[in-house]
Amino acid sequence: MHGCNVAPISISPAKWNLTVNPLSKVITGTAAAALAGGIGYYLYERNTEQPSFQLILKDGRFEIRDYPKLLVAETVSRGSRNGALKNGFQKLAAYIFAKSRGGDKIPMTAPVVQDREKIPMTAPVMQDEAGQDGWRTRFIMPASHHRETLPQPPEGVTISELPSRRVAVIRFSGRADDNAVAQMESTLRKWMSSRALRASAPAEYAFYNSPFIPGPLRRNEVLIPIELAEAHK
């Protein structure tokens, strides 16, 4: 068999006229900047004060925690859960950042907590409000603050103290839309049922991150207060 001499092929980049679309550069740069910004916010938010608790039990992504008394600022809004959360957040943020009052700012903590709140019937009842529940949004006050030292809240914001309690918790990432929240609450209730744990109050939804954080890095939780007499089972 005779050898075959093959001349090497030389490819000149100039002949191929390879160019990069300027728009691609812009999109790539924007995406990289957004990712870097999101990671920066994530690292910053990891240092945000969170309420202390005692971990009683851990079972995969499920937990049972004991929380002490917590001082909170809260407000109630009507409408969809997401819309009420946005309105509630803005009202509470204006309070702690001294936009709706005078005085010093109050440090932000995590998580922002939301639960359903029954709004008393009043007369007259507007047609679009009939039978409509409200959504309560809560900011947990820093441990260094006390009711007596907190600034006077504006109309629509209330300072309250949550009693010490035991809660069942499920943690999840991603965007906490209505479907995700409902699915996680259902999963948590099934786990509670398997352990003969009974709820003592409605479910609460906890959100630990700002909208700038990418979905996979986000921390969300569903918490359900449980009866202490049942919690050891």
Side-chain angles (χ1 to χ4, degrees):
M1 185 173 182
H2 298 287
C4 181
N5 295 324
V6 179
I9 299 174
S10 176
I11 299 176
S12 172
K15 291 183 179 180
W16 287 86
N17 193 27
L18 295 177
T19 60
V20 177
N21 189 329
L23 181 59
S24 300
K25 291 183 178 181
V26 173
I27 294 175
T28 302
T30 302
L35 178 60
I39 293 175
Y41 271 105
Y42 172 74
L43 295 175
Y44 169 78
E45 290 179 1
R46 288 186 64 180
N47 295 320
T48 301
E49 181 181 336
Q50 299 177 14
S52 61
F53 62 83
Q54 181 180 359
L55 182 62
I56 304 302
L57 181 146
K58 185 172 180 61
D59 179 16
R61 57 179 174 169
F62 303 100
E63 294 181 358
I64 294 179
R65 304 172 185 167
D66 276 354
Y67 279 96
K69 295 179 181 179
L70 296 175
L71 193 63
V72 300
E74 61 184 32
T75 187
V76 177
S77 302
R78 281 188 170 93
S80 67
R81 186 191 64 82
N82 192 57
L85 178 61
K86 181 179 179 180
N87 292 337
F89 184 95
Q90 291 175 344
K91 186 174 291 186
L92 294 175
Y95 169 64
I96 70 167
F97 295 134
K99 300 296 184 182
S100 59
R101 60 168 177 82
D104 297 330
K105 296 179 180 180
I106 301 171
M108 184 71 185
T109 66
V112 176
V113 182
Q114 183 184 40
D115 66 352
R116 194 180 292 273
E117 170 74 359
K118 291 287 186 181
I119 296 180
M121 278 284 215
T122 57
V125 176
M126 303 300 292
Q127 185 174 1
D128 62 349
E129 296 178 353
Q132 191 177 61
D133 286 343
W135 290 97
R136 177 169 46 204
T137 304
R138 287 175 170 146
F139 280 11
I140 300 169
M141 297 294 98
S144 59
H145 286 61
H146 307 281
R147 183 190 288 268
E148 297 76 16
T149 60
L150 285 174
Q152 181 69 26
E155 183 179 357
V157 174
T158 304
I159 304 300
S160 302
E161 185 176 76
L162 302 182
S164 58
R165 58 207 182 127
R166 179 164 292 185
V167 298
V169 183
I170 185 172
R171 177 173 172 171
F172 62 103
S173 59
R175 296 290 171 180
D177 57 23
D178 289 344
N179 290 335
V181 166
Q183 181 180 357
M184 290 298 110
E185 181 178 343
S186 176
T187 300
L188 178 58
R189 289 188 183 279
K190 289 177 182 177
W191 179 81
M192 290 171 55
S193 178
S194 72
R195 289 181 168 268
L197 300 173
R198 291 186 292 185
S200 61
E204 302 172 11
Y205 313 123
F207 313 107
Y208 285 78
N209 305 109
S210 65
F212 305 104
I213 305 303
L217 298 179
R218 298 181 70 81
R219 177 183 174 186
N220 315 296
E221 293 176 344
V222 177
L223 303 87
I224 300 179
I226 57 178
E227 297 180 0
L228 282 174
E230 305 291 329
H232 67 280
K233 294 183 179 180

mmCIF file of all heavy atoms in Angstrom, residues 17 27 143 180:
data_model
loop_
_atom_site.group_PDB
_atom_site.id
_atom_site.type_symbol
_atom_site.label_atom_id
_atom_site.label_comp_id
_atom_site.label_asym_id
_atom_site.label_seq_id
_atom_site.Cartn_x
_atom_site.Cartn_y
_atom_site.Cartn_z
ATOM 1 N N ASN A 17 -14.186 35.834 7.082
ATOM 2 C CA ASN A 17 -14.893 37.071 7.407
ATOM 3 C C ASN A 17 -15.796 36.880 8.624
ATOM 4 O O ASN A 17 -16.993 37.177 8.601
ATOM 5 C CB ASN A 17 -15.717 37.552 6.197
ATOM 6 C CG ASN A 17 -16.210 38.995 6.392
ATOM 7 O OD1 ASN A 17 -15.581 39.776 7.109
ATOM 8 N ND2 ASN A 17 -17.315 39.321 5.737
ATOM 9 N N ILE A 27 -26.127 41.891 24.477
ATOM 10 C CA ILE A 27 -26.944 40.935 25.219
ATOM 11 C C ILE A 27 -26.084 40.136 26.190
ATOM 12 O O ILE A 27 -26.430 39.955 27.359
ATOM 13 C CB ILE A 27 -27.684 39.996 24.250
ATOM 14 C CG1 ILE A 27 -28.703 40.786 23.420
ATOM 15 C CG2 ILE A 27 -28.372 38.873 25.007
ATOM 16 C CD1 ILE A 27 -29.392 39.974 22.348
ATOM 17 N N ALA A 143 -33.788 42.489 66.478
ATOM 18 C CA ALA A 143 -33.819 42.049 67.876
ATOM 19 C C ALA A 143 -33.445 43.169 68.841
ATOM 20 O O ALA A 143 -33.837 43.145 70.012
ATOM 21 C CB ALA A 143 -32.878 40.858 68.059
ATOM 22 N N ALA A 180 -46.656 27.703 42.933
ATOM 23 C CA ALA A 180 -45.566 27.145 43.738
ATOM 24 C C ALA A 180 -45.913 27.169 45.222
ATOM 25 O O ALA A 180 -45.683 26.187 45.943
ATOM 26 C CB ALA A 180 -44.281 27.920 43.466
#
